[in-house]
Amino acid sequence: ALAQDASPLAAGEGWHGIGAGQFPVPAPVGPAHHGIHWACPCCGLCGVGLELGMPCPRSHSRLRRGILATMLSLLPCCRWAAFLYRGAHQRRCAVRGWLQLGPSRTVEPWRRKAYASKVTRKAAKRSPTYGRFTQQLDIVAGLSGPGSRERKIDTIRRYFALLRSADQSALKAALKLLLGQLQPDKAGFKLNVGEGVVKAAVEELDSSALDTITNEMQAGIADDLSTAVGNVLQRLDGNKQSAVSLMEILEFFERIASVEGSGAVRERTQLLASMFRQMTGREAVYLVRTLLGKGPCIGIGESLALKALAGHPDVEASEAEIKSRFARDPDIDRLVDVLLQKQAGGVAVSQAITLHLPFRPMKPVPEQSVDSAWTRISSGGDWVAEWKYDGERLQIHVDRSRTTIWSRSLKPISEKFPDVRAMFKNALSDDVTSAVIDAEVVAVVRRGARWEQLPFQELAKRKGKVVDQEDISVIVSVYAFDCLALNNASMMERSLRERRQKLQESLKVSEHLCLPESVLISSRSDLEGALLKSIEDGTEGLIVKDLGGEYMPNCRTPAWLKLKKDYLESSLSDAIDAVVVGVGYGTGRNAGIFSTFLLAVRKSSGPGLQTLARLGSGFSNAQLHELYEAVKDKVTDDGPPDDIELVTKPDPWTRRSCQWIQREFRPVWEVRCADLTLSPQYSCAMGLGNRTELAAHGISMRFPRLVRVRDPSDKDVPDATTAHEVLSLYDAQVKQSGSPDARAQNRSAESAPSARAPTGRPKRN
């Protein structure tokens, strides 16, 4: 009866058996196990698992430490000897294991399946724990190779099925934790937990933990901070058995988010340390990832999770219906309620828009050249090119009583833009009661009789919470480019041509509320001319749209094409030979090697270097390993050398896990970029020529990329580009753009910058 691989619930090759409320257990391999699989229906663990000390919630848990557990991993005859020595309960467990797993021809398969399904439902209702959830995540993370996508979906689907008899809250909690979306649309919900809080919480348990974490990450033992924390907790108490439930984890996140005021950091640290004491190392790995906003990082995204949800036994909605619903209303609680109510004959899956409830925006497909974009456009249809402004995308919900504003990532930012709310207070036409507008907000400055746009960095200076309009230091304009709902009716199923017409009719434009400049495209020359004109106007490029296309939330479709100058050949007339002066360790797959490089150029006069940019993308894995081997023995962590001019003390670079390359070993790289820009973080050309815009800002590179590593015999540090040469390239770029020195003057007094400069490059929405 105890034969090989006969589970009716097997998840596929390499799996055997699902016990009561337990996950599929990887089949043991190797000659020591003789291919024999036994699983207890009370805990779902095989004999090998019991031998290794894994927990068992029922009365036969003493087998974990006795000779019987050892016998289970030996010959089949020893397994029968163990069977004879067990008590009455253990014999019943063995018989149930035979019913569930054995290939006996005397027991019908449907009877084994029915019994196993009954036991697993009872166990899931009894204990939907976080530990079992993380075990499932480990299983999914270990799936790779051909067909792994479908096996991941099937594994998640079967876990969702285990929770079907539990309270709906267990399914909701599992889906939230799987997607890392705890409260996607709840105003004010922020965990406010960074790496510093995590490290401090671990130090509460082990005073030497910080050094251990740093060493493991640099040595590549731990892929990231979460793995290093898990290793520390595992060493502290490797035999700990956690009983934290899924709901307790969500309640913990709610408590963390509610902490405010003085002493908030200390209180969050203590809460996190208390939770660490209750869980195992593997559980802590996924907890830390969720706290840091990364999600589980197991290769399960929103699409796969919703596809698994569509296979839930109590859900009759199709995968397409579920994805459409979630794109328009990304609230997991409402999604699960609606889906399960539909199964009972209740509320159908709705595609209507609810005002003041954000949904995920439609996204364009990036094109790398005018030719590739024209290839798509020439395939048919009428197309229009709209200017793409260098700002932040907004989703604005407005009615006669209030206006709410959401970011591209669905964060509530109404308090950040009180002037935009006031702008829309009387912006609707008399026959319009409500609307949902897709728009872009851009920082502007008045120059004479007209308003000119400023780069995104200026908009990032605006405070996250502005109480009064008098506190506004950065003036903005809003460019409305789509109408998604009108008078409580969805417009997304209509064509773009009709939506643009309704937008023009329903919105009252004003000095700071505008429609984007656009041009119809009928030939390749029209497209190329529009791109050049948009760049001359100081914008990022074009969004080319099919006038017959519908609005598809949370989709990236070729009905919208993004053509930015950043994707095209660099606008610089020459490359820059920069000196690599600092290196920073990477995380994830790049843990243990350098993945970030600080670039500098020579001063215009006298010895020394000025920082130019930080290069951390565009490398292949092989390139990073090659660059690491080239400089790994030539770095020091004694602090920044005195020949490098830093903007602030300490420089933002020194706050990272970085090291400095010794002077005699600094390589020279040929680099290019999308364009040059002003930045308060770098010192290149700062103060040069007594120019106003360079008083407190240096020149930096936007989207830098490595062209090649210079041979020292060809170009060494004395031959590197100077700050004066970089400034000449910057001036040529401004002249070429056709803008009236907009970039050079965007940090002048007219732009009213905030008193406090940002400490680093802001993350763009």
Side-chain angles (χ1 to χ4, degrees):
L2 299 175
Q4 304 179 25
D5 292 332
S7 169
L9 299 178
E13 184 178 355
W15 301 110
H16 71 101
I18 301 180
Q22 188 60 292
F23 303 106
V25 181
V29 294
H33 303 299
H34 306 284
I36 303 300
H37 302 161
W38 178 88
C40 171
C42 291
C43 66
L45 298 177
C46 63
V48 177
L50 293 175
E51 178 193 1
L52 296 177
M54 297 179 71
C56 175
R58 300 296 290 269
S59 60
H60 65 274
S61 60
R62 60 181 178 273
L63 292 178
R64 293 184 293 111
R65 296 186 179 88
I67 188 171
L68 297 181
T70 305
M71 296 171 65
L72 289 176
S73 64
L74 301 179
L75 297 174
C77 60
C78 295
R79 293 176 181 244
W80 285 110
F83 175 78
L84 296 176
Y85 277 94
R86 293 183 186 131
H89 172 69
Q90 284 76 25
R91 286 197 296 272
R92 285 195 299 270
C93 286
V95 172
R96 289 172 180 172
W98 165 59
L99 289 175
Q100 181 184 348
L101 301 177
S104 173
R105 297 174 183 173
T106 61
V107 180
E108 294 83 358
W110 67 267
R111 191 181 299 276
R112 296 199 301 270
K113 291 182 180 180
Y115 177 79
S117 178
K118 178 180 178 181
V119 173
T120 53
R121 285 200 304 270
K122 287 184 177 180
K125 185 174 182 180
R126 180 178 66 245
S127 181
T129 64
Y130 188 60
R132 293 179 177 176
F133 173 74
T134 57
Q135 288 176 16
Q136 188 78 337
L137 298 184
D138 281 337
I139 292 171
V140 173
L143 296 175
S144 60
S148 60
R149 174 187 172 92
E150 293 303 321
R151 282 185 289 162
K152 288 180 178 181
I153 295 172
D154 188 60
T155 304
I156 297 298
R157 177 190 58 77
R158 287 186 292 107
Y159 174 65
F160 286 163
L162 290 177
L163 301 175
R164 63 183 301 190
S165 294
D167 190 279
Q168 288 184 14
S169 59
L171 178 59
K172 296 175 183 177
L175 194 56
K176 289 178 181 179
L177 294 171
L178 183 64
L179 296 178
Q181 299 177 12
L182 306 176
Q183 294 287 350
D185 66 339
K186 184 176 178 180
F189 185 87
K190 294 181 180 179
L191 293 176
N192 294 319
V193 174
E195 292 188 358
V197 173
V198 174
K199 293 177 180 178
V202 179
E203 281 191 303
E204 294 272 343
L205 282 66
D206 182 4
S207 58
S208 62
L210 186 57
D211 293 335
T212 303
I213 290 173
T214 303
N215 294 335
E216 286 193 359
M217 292 180 65
Q218 292 186 357
I221 299 175
D223 293 340
D224 53 15
L225 176 61
S226 62
T227 307
V229 171
N231 293 342
V232 170
L233 297 185
Q234 187 67 23
R235 283 191 291 268
L236 289 177
D237 190 358
N239 295 322
K240 182 188 300 180
Q241 299 182 20
S242 171
V244 181
S245 69
L246 292 175
M247 297 309 301
E248 287 175 331
I249 292 294
L250 290 186
E251 291 172 1
F252 163 75
F253 288 134
E254 290 283 354
R255 291 198 302 271
I256 285 283
S258 64
V259 176
E260 295 179 349
S262 60
V265 174
R266 178 60 181 167
E267 187 174 350
R268 293 189 194 105
T269 301
Q270 291 176 343
L271 285 172
L272 183 55
S274 176
M275 180 56 69
F276 280 158
R277 292 187 181 97
Q278 303 177 50
M279 57 176 41
T280 64
R282 289 306 302 164
E283 294 170 357
V285 170
Y286 294 107
L287 180 76
V288 171
R289 289 177 183 174
T290 304
L291 283 171
L292 298 180
K294 299 179 180 179
C297 301
I298 58 170
I300 287 285
E302 179 182 301
S303 178
L304 297 188
L306 295 181
K307 187 173 183 178
L309 183 62
H312 190 281
D314 294 336
V315 173
E316 292 184 352
S318 66
E319 178 186 349
E321 286 180 307
I322 294 176
K323 290 183 177 180
S324 176
R325 167 77 194 203
F326 194 68
R328 299 163 188 262
D329 180 8
D331 186 280
I332 293 174
D333 291 333
R334 284 192 290 266
L335 176 68
V336 173
D337 288 339
V338 168
L339 293 178
L340 298 184
Q341 286 172 0
K342 179 182 179 182
Q343 189 273 341
V347 181
V349 177
S350 172
Q351 294 188 353
I353 289 180
T354 303
L355 200 63
H356 305 296
L357 183 66
F359 49 87
R360 301 179 183 278
M362 183 174 175
K363 295 165 285 189
V365 173
E367 292 292 342
Q368 302 298 319
S369 66
V370 172
D371 290 333
S372 63
W374 175 246
T375 300
R376 291 185 184 271
I377 295 172
S378 60
S379 61
D382 297 327
W383 294 74
V384 62
E386 295 179 347
W387 274 217
K388 186 185 186 309
Y389 299 99
D390 190 9
E392 181 177 358
R393 191 168 179 180
L394 303 181
Q395 187 178 126
I396 304 172
H397 294 235
V398 55
D399 56 23
R400 295 299 181 184
S401 59
R402 64 173 175 147
T403 300
T404 54
I405 306 173
W406 310 83
S407 69
R408 179 179 179 178
S409 58
L410 307 189
K411 295 181 179 178
I413 53 175
S414 301
E415 294 182 341
K416 183 179 179 180
F417 295 104
D419 46 348
V420 176
R421 284 185 284 131
M423 192 185 304
F424 274 87
K425 186 175 182 179
N426 299 311
L428 298 181
S429 301
D430 296 338
D431 58 340
V432 177
T433 59
S434 64
V436 177
I437 306 297
D438 206 350
E440 189 90 2
V441 61
V442 182
V444 295
V445 62
R446 180 182 288 278
R447 303 199 190 281
R450 55 193 295 257
W451 292 92
E452 294 184 3
Q453 300 171 22
L454 299 177
F456 173 77
Q457 289 85 346
E458 289 297 324
L459 181 64
K461 291 182 179 180
R462 178 176 280 231
K463 298 178 181 179
K465 183 177 180 179
V466 180
V467 179
D468 300 314
Q469 287 193 252
E470 291 75 15
D471 298 331
I472 296 175
S473 59
V474 179
I475 302 174
V476 299
S477 290
V478 175
Y479 290 87
F481 56 82
D482 213 331
C483 179
L484 310 182
L486 203 62
N487 294 332
N488 294 322
S490 172
M491 298 284 294
M492 292 190 287
E493 295 77 17
R494 306 192 185 187
S495 67
L496 175 62
R497 181 183 287 104
E498 187 174 355
R499 298 200 308 271
R500 282 165 54 91
Q501 181 66 29
K502 290 294 184 181
L503 180 66
Q504 296 175 7
E505 295 173 356
S506 59
L507 206 61
K508 300 176 182 177
V509 298
S510 59
E511 186 178 32
H512 290 289
L513 178 56
C514 318
L515 300 177
E517 187 168 348
S518 62
V519 60
L520 294 175
I521 302 298
S522 57
S523 65
R524 185 188 182 283
S525 60
D526 290 343
L527 179 62
E528 189 171 16
L531 178 61
L532 294 176
K533 181 63 168 61
S534 67
I535 295 175
E536 289 177 1
D537 291 346
T539 68
E540 289 188 312
L542 299 175
I543 300 293
V544 189
K545 302 179 180 179
D546 182 359
L547 285 171
E550 298 180 359
Y551 191 95
M552 304 177 67
N554 199 31
C555 289
R556 191 182 295 276
T557 71
W560 286 15
L561 305 177
K562 179 165 57 176
L563 194 59
K564 295 175 61 177
K565 62 180 179 180
D566 300 338
Y567 300 151
L568 308 180
E569 185 62 31
S570 172
S571 59
L572 292 181
S573 59
D574 196 8
I576 294 177
D577 292 313
V579 183
V580 185
V581 296
V583 291
Y585 281 100
T587 59
R589 68 174 184 175
N590 297 327
I593 61 175
F594 302 136
S595 65
T596 306
F597 304 88
L598 181 63
L599 308 179
V601 295
R602 293 189 297 122
K603 287 185 176 181
S604 297
S605 59
L609 301 171
Q610 292 181 320
T611 55
L612 174 66
R614 182 167 59 93
L615 178 56
S617 61
F619 300 105
S620 66
N621 198 42
Q623 277 182 310
L624 287 178
H625 279 86
E626 182 180 348
L627 295 173
Y628 173 73
E629 293 294 333
V631 299
K632 68 176 183 179
D633 299 324
K634 304 169 185 177
V635 296
T636 177
D637 54 3
D638 295 336
D642 55 11
D643 65 330
I644 299 177
E645 182 179 323
L646 302 177
V647 176
T648 58
K649 304 292 184 179
D651 188 86
W653 177 264
T654 63
R655 295 198 290 268
R656 302 183 179 95
S657 178
C658 68
Q659 295 183 338
W660 301 89
I661 301 179
Q662 300 174 24
R663 300 187 187 189
E664 59 271 23
F665 299 113
R666 292 169 179 166
V668 176
W669 290 359
E670 181 181 339
V671 293
R672 287 184 177 271
C673 63
D675 55 17
L676 297 172
T677 185
L678 297 177
S679 171
Q681 188 174 341
Y682 301 100
S683 59
C684 175
M686 184 176 290
L688 191 62
N690 295 322
R691 292 171 57 161
T692 304
E693 70 274 12
L694 298 177
H697 295 79
I699 299 177
S700 181
M701 307 181 78
R702 196 160 177 242
F703 303 114
R705 65 181 186 275
L706 173 63
V707 178
R708 59 172 169 161
V709 178
R710 289 285 194 178
D711 191 308
S713 61
D714 178 26
K715 275 198 175 183
D716 208 348
V717 175
D719 306 313
T721 302
T722 65
H724 182 77
E725 292 172 333
V726 175
L727 179 59
S728 299
L729 292 173
Y730 175 79
D731 289 338
Q733 170 190 284
V734 172
K735 183 178 180 180
Q736 180 184 3
S737 70
S739 175
D741 208 17
R743 290 190 182 88
Q745 300 179 32
N746 60 21
R747 270 30 178 233
S748 65
E750 291 179 295
S751 65
S754 60
R756 184 175 179 272
T759 57
R761 182 177 178 85
K763 182 177 180 181
R764 301 193 53 185
N765 282 313

